[in-house]
Amino acid sequence: MIPRVLSTPTADALIDRLRAMHGPVMFHQSGGCCDGSAPMCYPAGEFKVGSRDVYLGEIHGARVFIGAAQFEYWEHTQLIIDAVPGRGAGFSLEGPEGMRFLTRSRVFTDDEAAELQAAGPVLRGDEV
């Protein structure tokens, strides 16, 4: 099945660096403005995933969740987590590393959307 979330090699390298320093990590993509719209990286288990949050999948061994309201906007797109030079978000682990995570996206094709629809409902945070 087509994944709902992917990562770039640059993001994977940053995840490896963060994992070496902090152990297992996870991501949460929330809505909002400023840092709230960036993918946030946390030590696994340090962020309380809500029962309405949607589980998108894993990137480079890290679980990725998205807020329910944000998922409604982006459910028709594949999210691609990248890393670029710059200052990361205040609470995200990459903050002091001189890099920041960034979400890119592309619209699913009609065939991909049909495949996802046929797979049934997405898993929620309390179902993973």
Side-chain angles (χ1 to χ4, degrees):
M1 181 167 56
I2 185 79
R4 288 188 176 275
V5 63
L6 298 173
S7 56
T8 66
T10 305
D12 292 347
L14 182 54
I15 291 168
D16 284 340
R17 279 178 34 200
L18 296 173
R19 192 178 287 128
M21 290 185 283
H22 304 282
V25 298
M26 56 92 60
F27 286 84
H28 188 271
Q29 175 76 52
S30 65
C33 69
C34 308
D35 287 348
S37 58
M40 304 291 278
C41 182
Y42 301 100
E46 295 268 332
F47 179 86
K48 174 118 170 91
V49 177
S51 62
R52 295 195 63 231
D53 288 332
V54 173
Y55 175 65
L56 293 177
E58 287 191 9
I59 56 169
H60 202 57
R63 289 180 171 180
V64 181
F65 297 87
I66 188 169
Q70 195 72 3
F71 180 72
E72 289 180 24
Y73 290 119
W74 288 3
E75 68 181 311
H76 63 283
T77 64
Q78 183 177 56
L79 300 186
I80 302 143
I81 307 301
D82 198 1
V84 296
R87 187 179 172 304
F91 296 109
S92 195
L93 288 177
E94 82 278 7
E97 299 305 308
M99 297 287 286
R100 66 185 183 93
F101 288 109
L102 175 77
T103 300
R104 302 180 191 282
S105 65
R106 72 164 188 89
V107 175
F108 288 121
T109 65
D110 290 343
D111 289 342
E112 291 168 339
E115 179 183 342
L116 290 167
Q117 181 77 22
V122 295
L123 293 176
R124 299 295 172 158
D126 58 353
E127 297 173 324
V128 179

